[in-house]
């Protein structure tokens, strides 16, 4: 009988162990999924402040020369556009002046022959003299236009020379 008590106690212990194993199986069945769910992913990495400053200065040293070169190109282009604008304004003024002198000239192609055939001293001119007079007048206008054009070109070249002489000094002061 003593043996039967031991067997009964052993059976109850085994049942208890079986129920414990089934409970543990049910409880730990979800562990692989939970380990994936609870796994942390680092989206941002923290770095030290000296490392950050070193990276910033490295980036700055790489970018600064390119930015300065681009700024220089932009400034040169703006200077070129300004010179072109001044040249176009001077050309416009020259053309306005030419048109103004043509408009203020009373002896134009639309004047009657009686006034055009008179010399500046009031005496009538022959056809040859009239043709020579018109040729001389046209030549005078062409020459005055050529002189004005040459003066504008000289002024423009002076500006370019001043700009080219000033450019090395401006670059030296930017550093």
């Amino acid at each position: 009988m003593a043996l039967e008590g031991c067997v009964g106690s052993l059976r109850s212990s085994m049942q208890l162990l079986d129920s414990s194993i089934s409970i543990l199986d049910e409880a730990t069945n979800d562990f692989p999924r939970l380990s994936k769910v609870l796994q942390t992913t680092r989206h941002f990495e923290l770095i030290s402040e000296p490392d950050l400053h070193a990276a910033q200065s490295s980036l700055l040293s790489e970018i600064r020369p390119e930015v300065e070169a681009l700024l220089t190109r932009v400034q040169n282009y703006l200077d070129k556009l300004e010179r072109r604008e001044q040249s176009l304004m001077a050309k416009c003024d020259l053309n306005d002046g030419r048109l103004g002198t043509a408009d203020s000239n009373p002896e134009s192609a639309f004047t009657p022959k009686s006034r055009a055939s008179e010399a500046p001293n009031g005496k009538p001119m022959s056809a040859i003299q009239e043709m020579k007079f018109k040729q001389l007048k046209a030549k005078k206008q062409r020459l005055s236009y050529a002189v004005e054009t040459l003066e504008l070109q000289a002024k423009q070249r002076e500006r370019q020379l001043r700009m080219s002489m000033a450019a090395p000094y401006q670059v030296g002061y930017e550093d």
Side-chain angles (χ1 to χ4, degrees):
M1 201 109 140
L3 200 53
E4 281 181 19
C6 284
V7 170
S9 175
L10 184 61
R11 277 193 186 142
S12 70
S13 291
M14 282 188 59
Q15 284 177 350
L16 183 61
L17 280 175
D18 279 341
S19 70
S20 295
I21 288 174
S22 66
I23 290 172
L24 280 174
D25 259 351
E26 289 175 18
T28 59
N29 190 14
D30 205 22
F31 272 176
R33 186 186 70 83
L34 285 176
S35 67
K36 278 197 173 196
V37 168
L38 296 176
Q39 183 180 13
T40 59
T41 304
R42 272 197 224 173
H43 294 286
F44 301 101
E45 192 169 323
L46 298 178
I47 59 171
S48 66
E49 193 169 333
D51 290 343
L52 177 66
H53 288 300
Q56 284 176 339
S57 64
S58 170
L59 185 63
L60 185 64
S61 67
E62 288 177 18
I63 292 175
R64 177 175 275 156
E66 293 179 31
V67 169
E68 288 176 354
L70 288 173
L71 285 174
T72 303
R73 283 178 58 194
V74 166
Q75 186 61 41
N76 289 341
Y77 188 70
L78 287 175
D79 291 342
K80 180 180 174 182
L81 286 178
E82 184 177 337
R83 287 192 302 269
R84 184 166 184 238
E85 178 187 19
Q86 290 173 355
S87 170
L88 289 174
M89 288 174 60
K91 190 174 182 180
C92 180
D93 290 342
L94 177 65
N95 287 336
D96 283 346
R98 286 181 62 212
L99 289 174
T101 57
D103 290 343
S104 65
N105 189 359
E107 296 178 6
S108 65
F110 301 109
T111 57
K113 282 284 187 188
S114 62
R115 289 195 71 195
S117 63
E118 290 181 0
N121 59 9
K123 295 181 181 177
M125 289 192 294
S126 68
I128 295 174
Q129 288 176 334
E130 185 177 339
M131 189 170 68
K132 283 184 179 180
F133 182 71
K134 286 182 180 179
Q135 287 175 346
L136 288 173
K137 208 172 205 183
K139 186 175 182 180
K140 178 184 172 188
Q141 287 179 346
R142 283 193 311 270
L143 289 174
S144 67
Y145 175 71
V147 166
E148 289 174 357
T149 304
L150 289 173
E151 286 174 352
L152 284 174
Q153 287 176 352
K155 286 179 184 177
Q156 185 177 6
R157 287 190 179 137
E158 285 176 13
R159 278 191 298 253
Q160 288 175 347
L161 181 63
R162 275 187 263 131
M163 291 300 288
S164 67
M165 295 299 284
Y169 298 115
Q170 290 174 352
V171 171
Y173 289 124
E174 289 179 359
D175 295 332

